[in-house]
Amino acid sequence: RRVHGGFMSCCKMSTLLFVVSSLLSLAACSASMLQFGQQYTLFPNFIPDANASAWFNYGVAALHDFAYEVATPVFKDLRTRNPKFAMAYWGEAMSYDMALWDYQDRDKGIAVLSDLDVMLAGAEPPVLTSLESSLISAVRKLYQNGTRSFLSQAFYTAMKSAVDAFPTQYELLAFYSLSLLRYSLREDRGYGDYGLRQRWQAQTIVKSLIKRFPNHPGGLHMLVHAFDDPQNGTFAREYALRFPTVAPDSNHALHMATHALMRTGEWSLVVSYNAKAITMATTKGLELEAHAILFQHYALLQKGQFESAWKLLSQFNPPAAGAVDTRSTSFIFNEALAKALYVVETAFYGGDLCKTVDLPVDNLNCSTCSANVHNDGNYLFAAKTNAAVWFAKGYCAYFTGGFGGSDMLPTYMARLEDLQAMLADDFAFTSKSIDIMRVSLHSLHTLGDGDVEGALNLIRGAVGDEQDIDPSPPGIPYPIRSSYEIYAYVLSANGQHLQAGIDMVNLALANYPNKTSALIHRYSLYNLVGYHDLECRDYRTLINVNFKDGADPVVHDYLENAYTGNGQNCVDDGTSGRDIALIIVTLVLIFGGGCAAGGWYLKKHLAKQKAPSARKFVNLEEEVDDGVELGQGHAATPGDSGFMSPENRVPSRHRRESDNFTSSPSPLPSSLKMSAI
């Protein structure tokens, strides 16, 4: 469905045609291809047929762009027309392993490798080069028996051997980086090993590739994935935005740009890039990605455009009432996750919005999930989605009385506990994330019963666990409401520990800059503590960034009215009275004492206004260096990659005792309506 014309329909060439006819045919075939950046791929010619070689490079580019439904028929057609072209079998087998999507079509992968074995054992088999043998040996590792972690490690080891054996075959670096990232995502890694070392290695390798070949599609794609973390969103942004220009017909490249934009909190761009990806899929006959819909939906929620976010759900093509749902599990689960996010984000503003969502009444089934749960991402995605749904119901129940009200919280907590226990043995990482959501609901339920200290003790445990897992997963936040934000709410709900609440919200914003609920909460706390310049800064961010394209009336009403007095000192042009005074004093000092005096005062004044726990970003202008020489094992040094090394992470356990809070307890005004965080 994704291939326009396809290889078989491309101009058939007779062996009797003149060379010029062959060149014209190749040009015509190339014109029928989509532009996935195939001109930048670096493999040598594995087959003397120029036409077949061009289509092979097209299939390789499709693999780099994760356009698997394009790659599969291209490689299939190649081996049909050239049964002894061994690398066509390799490409098709690679297309059945969706490495970073936790899914593998195992049966088809085994079948194509079996066909390869038959061909190699037949009459006049081709003589494989050492490079071909290395790549085919590596892809075989993905279809052994064993857990996903075992297969990932075996594939990574084989790709490392190939890179070491062929240090000048730079195309290998993209697939080596892919193998490292696949390995870094393993679920059984335990705590204290976050796949960070594999991420560091992937970062070093892919930076080396991009320095030499700035427009390599696989290099750009892997770089965005390798640097998809809170500390490196700004660094990855440049390359993330370059990727769609290199692969202009790839809807996934457009979507991938927003992985970095999510890390920089540029919600309008997240909306527009994913909207373009959805349109491209429709106009070019490509497969619509449910993930692009989900990202656009989440960004619309951050922009306070709830009506638009709700209308977007129709893109998931839900079945008519009473009809059998024949959609893929990806669409079913992403739709349910989008609804859960809608519930949580709208519950922030109180009212009835979150109560009207038709969340599933029971666990979503995964009838298509493989019995081999280690190699089927649908099994894991089903559990994660169900957990998000149960948490959303409990969250809305606590804050608005929807979904049965607070009396139903124990039921929702029990469902989360069941899911957590179901995954504990095989999927420890996700199991812990689900338990964080359960404990967060338990803390809110305890707070509702009037036990503030009990609520604090519970949520402290959840915060510690959230710091013990990845800094934050790629894309959509999971847990879908950070325990940092809930801790900040519990801390400040009784009008005390406001500075500690600011510290917690800062942790949430370090993972997801410009997250609307966290910004509003911090903005209100700044007002209460008296950080009015910082209050105005957050207010302007909300107005000029998050809500610049217009937000629903409920959002503006809440922002202006829910926190009495907030925003009153921030004038409409984005300049506060203190800012004006600062400018005047600085100018006076410049004219009276020179630039040095004015600069000294400005620097001193701004230093006083820095937010507690201010976030540090990687410099966007950071040079891409070689890191290590090729063929030497690629041992990465954490500090060289720009990634947050363990010694620079937040301490693994956050256990702040109440008597150590830095602010003096001060009750909130009775007019302050903190409905939710």
Side-chain angles (χ1 to χ4, degrees):
R1 188 156 74 102
R2 299 181 77 146
V3 182
H4 288 249
F7 182 79
M8 292 296 289
S9 66
C10 189
C11 328
K12 295 183 178 179
M13 297 187 295
S14 167
T15 56
L16 300 178
L17 292 178
F18 293 102
V19 172
V20 65
S21 299
S22 298
L23 292 174
L24 289 172
S25 178
L26 176 58
C29 290
S30 298
S32 69
M33 297 176 184
L34 296 173
Q35 293 300 312
F36 286 150
Q38 56 265 34
Q39 68 271 33
Y40 300 112
T41 57
L42 302 167
F43 269 140
N45 289 331
F46 291 113
I47 187 169
D49 183 339
N51 184 53
S53 184
W55 279 97
F56 177 79
N57 290 333
Y58 180 48
V60 169
L63 287 177
H64 287 319
D65 295 354
F66 290 4
Y68 297 111
E69 290 81 2
V70 174
T72 299
V74 166
F75 290 120
K76 267 188 171 182
D77 290 343
L78 273 170
R79 71 183 182 98
T80 298
R81 290 173 59 86
N82 304 272
K84 294 186 179 181
F85 183 16
M87 286 301 290
Y89 296 78
W90 167 86
E92 186 180 345
M94 285 291 294
S95 75
Y96 294 131
D97 185 75
M98 301 169 192
L100 304 188
W101 294 352
D102 284 337
Y103 183 77
Q104 180 188 83
D105 197 329
R106 180 174 173 79
D107 292 340
K108 290 182 179 179
I110 291 174
V112 70
L113 291 174
S114 177
D115 290 346
L116 174 62
D117 290 336
V118 171
M119 183 272 286
L120 293 175
E124 300 181 1
V127 177
L128 301 182
T129 67
S130 298
L131 177 59
E132 289 174 314
S133 296
S134 293
L135 286 166
I136 290 170
S137 175
V139 76
R140 289 185 188 277
K141 304 297 184 184
L142 291 170
Y143 296 99
Q144 304 174 95
N145 291 322
T147 66
R148 180 175 177 82
S149 177
F150 173 79
L151 301 182
S152 294
Q153 185 173 17
F155 180 52
Y156 143 70
T157 302
M159 285 306 307
K160 179 180 182 300
S161 297
V163 168
D164 289 343
F166 303 97
T168 60
Q169 291 292 342
Y170 296 110
E171 186 71 21
L172 296 177
L173 297 183
F175 290 104
Y176 183 28
S177 299
L178 177 68
S179 74
L180 283 161
L181 292 172
R182 189 189 200 277
Y183 187 37
S184 76
L185 295 175
R186 64 197 190 279
E187 273 277 346
D188 61 350
R189 57 193 179 275
Y191 301 98
D193 176 8
Y194 307 89
L196 295 183
R197 188 155 299 280
Q198 287 75 37
R199 293 272 296 278
W200 293 332
Q201 288 179 291
Q203 289 170 357
T204 301
I205 292 160
V206 79
K207 284 167 67 177
S208 177
L209 175 60
I210 287 299
K211 181 177 181 179
R212 290 175 172 85
F213 305 98
N215 293 326
H216 191 278
L220 290 170
H221 193 177
M222 292 303 100
L223 186 145
V224 178
H225 276 297
F227 287 93
D228 192 351
D229 62 74
Q231 277 59 47
N232 288 300
T234 303
F235 171 74
R237 185 183 187 276
E238 172 190 348
Y239 305 98
L241 297 182
R242 187 190 304 169
F243 186 25
T245 67
V246 168
D249 290 333
S250 170
N251 58 324
H252 186 68
L254 284 167
H255 165 69
M256 277 307 302
T258 64
H259 275 252
L261 296 170
M262 289 276 284
R263 294 300 190 185
T264 55
E266 296 174 84
W267 306 118
S268 292
L269 288 178
V270 174
V271 169
S272 63
Y273 269 81
N274 282 296
K276 290 176 184 177
I278 294 169
T279 301
M280 180 179 289
T282 303
T283 57
K284 294 184 178 293
L286 302 173
E287 182 173 312
L288 179 63
E289 290 188 13
H291 223 203
I293 304 172
L294 181 66
F295 271 52
Q296 185 181 358
H297 172 80
Y298 183 76
L300 286 169
L301 293 174
Q302 299 310 305
K303 289 166 64 65
Q305 297 178 358
F306 302 138
E307 184 176 353
S308 296
W310 185 255
K311 289 179 179 177
L312 186 67
L313 294 178
S314 64
Q315 295 277 5
F316 287 113
N317 297 318
V324 177
D325 196 343
T326 59
R327 296 174 298 167
S328 69
T329 51
S330 175
F331 268 68
I332 295 172
F333 296 153
N334 272 289
E335 181 192 36
L337 181 55
K339 288 182 176 180
L341 289 165
Y342 181 92
V343 166
V344 169
E345 295 300 325
T346 57
F348 177 89
Y349 301 95
D352 296 328
L353 280 175
C354 77
K355 302 177 187 178
T356 61
V357 181
D358 55 334
L359 287 175
V361 296
D362 206 341
N363 279 349
L364 291 163
N365 293 319
C366 186
S367 58
T368 62
C369 290
S370 166
N372 185 358
V373 299
H374 295 286
N375 292 310
D376 192 336
N378 282 335
Y379 179 90
L380 185 60
F381 196 10
K384 291 177 70 172
T385 304
N386 284 323
V389 167
W390 292 120
F391 175 80
K393 288 181 177 180
Y395 193 85
C396 182
Y398 178 81
F399 285 111
T400 72
F403 296 104
S406 296
D407 290 343
M408 287 296 293
L409 277 173
T411 299
Y412 301 140
M413 287 154 43
R415 293 298 184 102
L416 288 168
E417 187 173 16
D418 291 342
L419 288 167
Q420 179 266 330
M422 182 180 76
L423 299 179
D425 292 336
D426 297 316
F427 300 98
F429 184 69
T430 299
S431 175
K432 181 60 68 175
S433 298
I434 292 173
D435 196 51
I436 290 168
M437 291 191 285
R438 179 192 66 81
V439 175
S440 295
L441 286 186
H442 193 182
S443 176
L444 292 174
H445 187 49
T446 303
L447 182 66
D449 289 340
D451 184 359
V452 176
E453 197 57 40
L456 286 171
N457 288 333
L458 284 165
I459 199 61
R460 284 183 191 124
V463 165
D465 286 337
E466 190 163 342
Q467 291 179 328
D468 278 348
I469 60 178
D470 269 346
S472 66
I476 303 300
Y478 201 88
I480 61 172
R481 177 64 89 216
S482 170
S483 63
Y484 304 148
E485 289 190 71
I486 294 178
Y487 191 9
Y489 171 72
V490 175
L491 282 167
S492 55
N494 65 343
Q496 299 183 4
H497 316 315
L498 302 181
Q499 180 65 58
I502 291 172
D503 293 342
M504 282 293 101
V505 179
N506 282 336
L507 286 177
L509 286 167
N511 280 346
Y512 291 96
N514 295 344
K515 192 171 184 294
T516 299
S517 59
L519 269 179
I520 292 178
H521 195 187
R522 188 175 69 179
Y523 145 75
S524 68
L525 291 172
Y526 279 158
N527 176 269
L528 294 168
V529 174
Y531 295 154
H532 295 300
D533 285 356
L534 296 176
E535 171 200 357
C536 287
R537 183 197 65 184
D538 281 356
Y539 181 82
R540 291 195 295 269
T541 299
L542 288 163
I543 297 301
N544 299 328
V545 178
N546 292 34
F547 306 147
K548 72 171 186 176
D549 300 320
D552 290 358
V554 65
V555 176
H556 281 292
D557 291 345
Y558 186 85
L559 189 63
E560 297 298 333
N561 300 324
Y563 299 95
T564 302
N566 282 32
Q568 300 303 309
N569 297 324
C570 306
V571 297
D572 291 339
D573 66 356
T575 306
S576 71
R578 284 181 171 81
D579 292 333
I580 295 172
L582 170 63
I583 293 170
I584 293 172
V585 173
T586 302
L587 289 174
V588 169
L589 285 172
I590 288 175
F591 284 111
C595 292
W600 169 83
Y601 178 79
L602 183 64
K603 181 178 180 181
K604 180 179 180 181
H605 181 87
L606 291 178
K608 292 181 179 179
Q609 300 303 323
K610 289 177 65 177
S613 307
R615 181 175 179 227
K616 295 181 180 179
F617 291 90
V618 172
N619 187 350
L620 185 60
E621 303 301 324
E622 173 187 337
E623 284 192 15
V624 177
D625 54 31
D626 283 328
V628 294
E629 290 300 315
L630 301 181
Q632 301 300 316
H634 307 287
T637 302
D640 292 340
S641 67
F643 190 79
M644 181 171 61
S645 57
E647 59 269 20
N648 292 326
R649 294 178 66 229
V650 177
S652 63
R653 290 283 169 180
H654 183 91
R655 295 291 188 271
R656 185 192 289 274
E657 297 301 326
S658 58
D659 57 351
N660 291 330
F661 291 141
T662 57
S663 64
S664 301
S666 55
L668 298 181
S670 59
S671 58
L672 184 63
K673 302 175 183 178
M674 298 184 65
S675 62
I677 44 76

